[in-house]
Amino acid sequence: MSLVVEAALAALIPGVISGLVVLCSERFGASLAALALPLAYFSTHTFLLGLPELGAGAVTERLPWIALLFGVLFLSFGQRPGRLGRTLLLFGSLFAVWWVTESARANQLSVASGVQLICLLLLLCLASSQLAAPIARVAERWTAPALVALVALFLAPSLVLGRSAVLAQLSGAICAASVAAAVVSWFTGTSEAGGLVAAVAAPMLILLAACGALYAYLDPWSAACFGAAVLAIAVGLKRGGGWSHARAVGLVSALCLLGAWLAYQGAPAPTPYDY
């Protein structure tokens, strides 16, 4: 299979799966949309790398299972989480951080890497347990998944600059799945489904950015910018209800551009082994 065909399928598969699941959520309940991105991500990983191994130590093998975990949690508690739902989402975030970074800690993380883990934990907790419900309720149709797709679109080439083509392809899968959800939400007029897709994508993008910094050569400050960009989607929430497109798009775009620039500045010099 040529690289062009593989790249095309890697973008087409998550888009088709995400769009179909969001369409099904119109018939069987909006909460079903929480599974759109996890299924799209899992399928893309299987296409590119084979069926992920549950007990494997490689971080890329663990991410699809974490995506399914977030999908199940948001399916159950994403729209109106309540105290129990927020607690379960918080513990889900804690488990995700522990499972993804277990091998990194075993390799004696530096102080800087330890600080990254603390920041990652805070971002994940905020993105998953605090922002899911308001975004799912208030975001207008395609806005939330479109903004998530924007972050993923800038994160993918930044991960390439950090010499992590696999993570970049998976970030591209999140982008394609989010775009499909935005398009379907636009035509169907559904805001809850698009909000749930964005809410599930948020912690996954933070994990991808953190993995790029911990396991590849993505500049840590660049990863922090992309993590903050995911949280900046909530800037669109107004105090009295409603959504401000200008505030959300402006801040998210600025943070993504800064993250991409930092990734370019911090990219390691090419070596003869790259050719």
Side-chain angles (χ1 to χ4, degrees):
M1 184 182 300
S2 67
L3 292 177
V4 176
V5 174
E6 180 179 308
L9 288 176
L12 183 63
I13 290 173
V16 171
I17 292 177
S18 177
L20 289 176
V21 175
V22 174
L23 284 175
C24 290
S25 70
E26 287 288 299
R27 182 179 180 88
F28 301 105
S31 59
L32 183 63
L35 294 178
L37 187 132
L39 292 177
Y41 189 100
F42 198 97
S43 301
T44 305
H45 182 283
T46 302
F47 170 74
L48 293 173
L49 304 172
L51 189 67
E53 300 177 22
L54 188 58
V59 65
T60 52
E61 297 293 314
R62 299 183 175 192
L63 289 175
W65 299 106
I66 291 176
L68 288 179
L69 169 65
F70 280 123
V72 171
L73 290 175
F74 281 106
L75 174 66
S76 304
F77 305 102
Q79 291 179 293
R80 286 177 173 79
R83 181 175 298 178
L84 175 61
R86 285 194 297 269
T87 301
L88 290 176
L89 288 170
L90 175 61
F91 277 105
S93 299
L94 288 168
F95 172 77
V97 172
W98 169 79
W99 206 28
V100 165
T101 59
E102 180 186 13
S103 60
R105 289 197 302 274
N107 292 330
Q108 297 182 345
L109 282 174
S110 63
V111 175
S113 297
V115 173
Q116 290 174 25
L117 291 183
I118 294 174
C119 294
L120 167 64
L121 174 61
L122 293 175
L123 289 172
L124 272 173
C125 293
L126 284 171
S128 60
S129 63
Q130 302 300 321
L131 301 179
I135 289 176
R137 286 198 303 265
V138 182
E140 300 173 10
R141 295 187 182 179
W142 52 269
T143 305
L147 286 172
V148 169
L150 178 65
V151 178
L153 182 65
F154 278 90
L155 177 59
S158 300
L159 289 169
V160 171
L161 290 171
R163 292 186 184 173
S164 183
V166 171
L167 292 177
Q169 286 180 304
L170 295 174
S171 180
I174 293 180
C175 180
S178 300
V179 168
V183 172
V184 174
S185 298
W186 171 269
F187 285 105
T188 60
T190 302
S191 60
E192 293 86 358
L196 282 173
V197 172
V200 178
M204 289 305 300
L205 285 174
I206 295 172
L207 282 174
L208 283 176
C211 289
L214 290 170
Y215 297 99
Y217 296 95
L218 180 66
D219 184 90
W221 288 107
S222 175
C225 284
F226 285 110
V230 172
L231 293 184
I233 296 174
V235 174
L237 293 169
K238 295 181 179 179
R239 185 182 297 273
W243 186 268
S244 172
H245 291 82
R247 287 190 302 183
V249 172
L251 187 54
V252 170
S253 300
L255 287 170
C256 287
L257 288 171
L258 178 60
W261 181 78
L262 289 172
Y264 175 76
Q265 293 296 316
T271 67
Y273 297 101
D274 296 331
Y275 302 100

